[in-house]
Amino acid sequence: MWGLWSLLLLWGLTTPCQGLLEKVGTLARIDKDELGKAIQNSLVGGPILQNVLGTVTSVNQGLLGSGGLLGGGGLLSYGGVFGVVEELSGMKIEELTLPKVSLKLLPGFGVQLSLHTKVGLRGSGPLGGLLQLAAEVNVSSRVALGVSSRGTPILVLKRCSTLLGHISLLSGLLPAPLFGVVEQTLFKVLPGLLCPMVDSVLGVVNELLGTALSLVPLGALGSVEFTLATLPLISNQYIELDINPIVKSVAGDVIDFPKPPKPIKVPPKEDHTSQVVVPLYLFNTVFGLLQTNGALDIDITPELVPSNVPLTTTDLAALVPEALGKLPPGQQLLLSMRVKEAPSVTLQNGKATISIPANVHVLSYHPKGTPEALFELNAVLTLNAQLAPSATKLHLSLSLERLSVKLASSFAHAFDAARLEEWLSHVVRVAYVPKLNVDLDVGIPLPKVLNVNFANAALEIIENAVVLTVAS
């Protein structure tokens, strides 16, 4: 099956980096327990065992039925290699017990994979009647970790062998000489029968590994394409993938925002856990897309705020009367907020903070007329971000920590804009922050590796990154 792949068998010759993520990629460390689960689940949930056995419920069909390796004309049948024992004709494998999976990671190479199973055989005995046997088999294989022609991590079978264990006679009579013939025959044919099962298992697992490198939509903003930045690395406990997130606009243009000047110091991974490290770059990029798409801009009118929120010239006159000039009290206000620069995201000391620079134009609002400009403010909104992971995303919920303003221009008299900060903060909390949280519902996408679910992951905010850790 690998002839379809045009493989590039390149595997890391060193162990994973010791605590530094030199690039801005999304680092994924997948524990060997997760790989074992993926292999076991591929055997439980898929048709792999049935494919090995063929259609065992139907007479004379499938891989091992009449005409198969052990059926009529096969190795144990009349005319086969051991055709002299024609009394054993028709024997076939009718049952394959779900294998027990054990694996060991081989640093710099791949995986030592073992599948322990029991094979049930059935046929006609030499003295007539039903003959049933059971044999324990250990399938041992060495699997290399490489990169496919599509740039996805891939496990490739390099060597496979079987070790035949205890053979039990469950029913019927089998003389000792014929028992030895059965044993020798199974030793010859089982590798050809069971090693393809390993190949099929790896095919399922490779599909799961490939899903990590995919195109993830960001709602109306664009998309994120995950690609492999470097060769996969392997230690004795986990596989490490350095995944490069390429962010694209709706038009397909690659969005490039500043990267952190220093490498990210990634905390060590504990045994039996998997990690995903989400870099600051992804946060900056999502907020940058919101800004370039105009999603951070808003016009706040009295219709958008509760009735108890002051948004009239009367309320403004109580704070900065000199800003109104000759404008009479009782008129409604319009706050036009425009974000002309990309927000700045800070991740450090267990806290995520977003700083949004905005120009706030305050106008007298006439629903059926033309708004009249009063003054302009330069504002900086500092928001706290609460982070919560799901299976596929890192979700953000913002709350306003503080707001600072300076007077940019006034059509009446100059005044101390600091007197407006409390009033403007109240308006922003009820009208602007809820809008931001709706727009941020797209979340920060996570790579999907081997179906590891990070919904209940422990979350740690470090400098320039967020680390999600989940027990295997």
Side-chain angles (χ1 to χ4, degrees):
M1 65 181 284
W2 302 117
L4 302 175
W5 284 85
S6 302
L7 298 175
L8 303 174
L9 292 181
L10 300 171
W11 46 86
L13 298 179
T14 59
T15 56
C17 58
Q18 301 298 312
L20 285 181
L21 180 58
E22 298 290 345
K23 300 188 178 182
V24 298
T26 300
L27 187 70
R29 289 171 168 173
I30 307 304
D31 192 81
K32 68 174 185 179
D33 292 349
E34 292 294 344
L35 181 59
K37 287 180 187 176
I39 292 173
Q40 190 74 54
N41 290 340
S42 70
L43 292 166
V44 173
I48 293 175
L49 297 184
Q50 291 85 344
N51 289 344
V52 172
L53 286 172
T55 311
V56 297
T57 57
S58 180
V59 179
N60 296 333
Q61 290 185 16
L63 180 64
L64 303 177
S66 176
L69 292 176
L70 297 181
L75 290 177
L76 284 183
S77 68
Y78 179 77
V81 174
F82 298 95
V84 294
V85 194
E86 57 183 289
E87 294 93 344
L88 293 177
S89 66
M91 180 171 288
K92 65 176 183 177
I93 294 177
E94 66 169 359
E95 183 181 4
L96 193 63
T97 302
L98 181 66
K100 293 181 179 179
V101 176
S102 62
L103 59 85
K104 177 183 179 181
L105 298 185
L106 306 175
F109 179 78
V111 181
Q112 178 74 38
L113 173 63
S114 296
L115 304 177
H116 182 79
T117 185
K118 289 186 177 181
V119 177
L121 299 103
R122 177 176 178 173
S124 299
L127 303 178
L130 178 66
L131 183 67
Q132 288 182 305
L133 300 99
E136 294 185 6
V137 185
N138 193 63
V139 184
S140 179
S141 57
R142 286 175 68 89
V143 179
L145 176 64
V147 182
S148 77
S149 59
R150 297 189 297 121
T152 60
I154 190 172
L155 295 169
V156 184
L157 181 63
K158 303 298 291 183
R159 190 177 69 199
C160 179
S161 61
T162 60
L163 180 63
L164 191 63
H166 180 68
I167 300 178
S168 304
L169 180 63
L170 303 180
S171 66
L173 297 174
L174 188 63
L178 296 185
F179 194 92
V181 170
V182 172
E183 187 175 35
Q184 293 178 47
T185 304
L186 291 178
F187 184 79
K188 290 177 179 292
V189 302
L190 284 178
L193 295 174
L194 299 183
C195 285
M197 176 175 63
V198 178
D199 226 8
S200 298
V201 167
L202 296 182
V204 175
V205 175
N206 285 332
E207 288 185 14
L208 294 176
L209 284 172
T211 59
L213 310 181
S214 57
L215 195 66
V216 181
L218 282 174
L221 300 179
S223 61
V224 176
E225 182 179 1
F226 291 112
T227 61
L228 204 61
T230 61
L231 295 179
L233 297 173
I234 192 165
S235 75
N236 59 358
Q237 286 295 327
Y238 59 89
I239 296 173
E240 182 172 291
L241 303 177
D242 187 0
I243 301 171
N244 183 35
I246 301 174
V247 183
K248 298 181 179 181
S249 66
V250 176
D253 300 323
V254 175
I255 308 297
D256 191 17
F257 284 89
K259 280 82 173 175
K262 297 186 298 182
I264 297 173
K265 295 181 180 180
V266 182
K269 188 191 83 67
E270 297 182 359
D271 290 348
H272 310 297
T273 64
S274 294
Q275 280 182 335
V276 164
V277 180
V278 185
L280 176 66
Y281 169 74
L282 269 182
F283 290 83
N284 282 330
T285 304
V286 168
F287 277 95
L289 280 174
L290 287 169
Q291 185 265 325
T292 55
N293 286 12
L296 300 181
D297 300 337
I298 189 174
D299 288 333
I300 303 175
T301 63
E303 293 82 5
L304 295 181
V305 298
S307 58
N308 63 334
V309 176
L311 208 60
T312 67
T313 54
T314 301
D315 306 301
L316 199 59
L319 299 171
V320 286
E322 61 268 45
L324 298 181
K326 298 180 180 180
L327 195 68
Q331 294 194 16
Q332 295 179 332
L333 295 177
L334 165 66
L335 303 185
S336 178
M337 294 183 61
R338 296 294 179 266
V339 179
K340 298 180 180 179
E341 299 177 18
S344 173
V345 182
T346 302
L347 299 173
Q348 62 181 10
N349 301 325
K351 186 176 182 180
T353 306
I354 293 88
S355 178
I356 301 179
N359 297 111
V360 183
H361 296 264
V362 181
L363 306 95
S364 173
Y365 176 58
H366 304 280
K368 295 184 179 180
T370 302
E372 180 182 346
L374 299 179
F375 54 87
E376 180 184 352
L377 304 171
N378 290 330
V380 177
L381 287 68
T382 302
L383 303 109
N384 292 325
Q386 297 296 319
L387 307 180
S390 68
T392 59
K393 296 179 182 179
L394 187 58
H395 299 273
L396 292 83
S397 178
L398 303 182
S399 60
L400 182 67
E401 179 180 308
R402 65 180 180 274
L403 180 148
S404 61
V405 294
K406 292 183 178 180
L407 183 65
S409 62
S410 174
F411 289 89
H413 300 284
F415 59 91
D416 181 10
R419 287 180 278 167
L420 295 175
E421 288 180 354
E422 184 177 350
W423 165 74
L424 192 58
S425 296
H426 187 30
V427 175
V428 165
R429 284 191 178 95
V430 299
Y432 186 56
V433 174
K435 175 186 182 301
L436 291 182
N437 285 327
V438 170
D439 293 330
L440 283 171
D441 189 55
V442 294
I444 307 295
L446 301 175
K448 189 175 182 181
V449 186
L450 290 182
N451 283 333
V452 178
N453 188 341
F454 285 91
N456 297 316
L459 186 148
E460 181 182 3
I461 300 175
I462 62 175
E463 187 173 5
N464 294 330
V466 173
V467 182
L468 300 178
T469 303
V470 63
S472 299

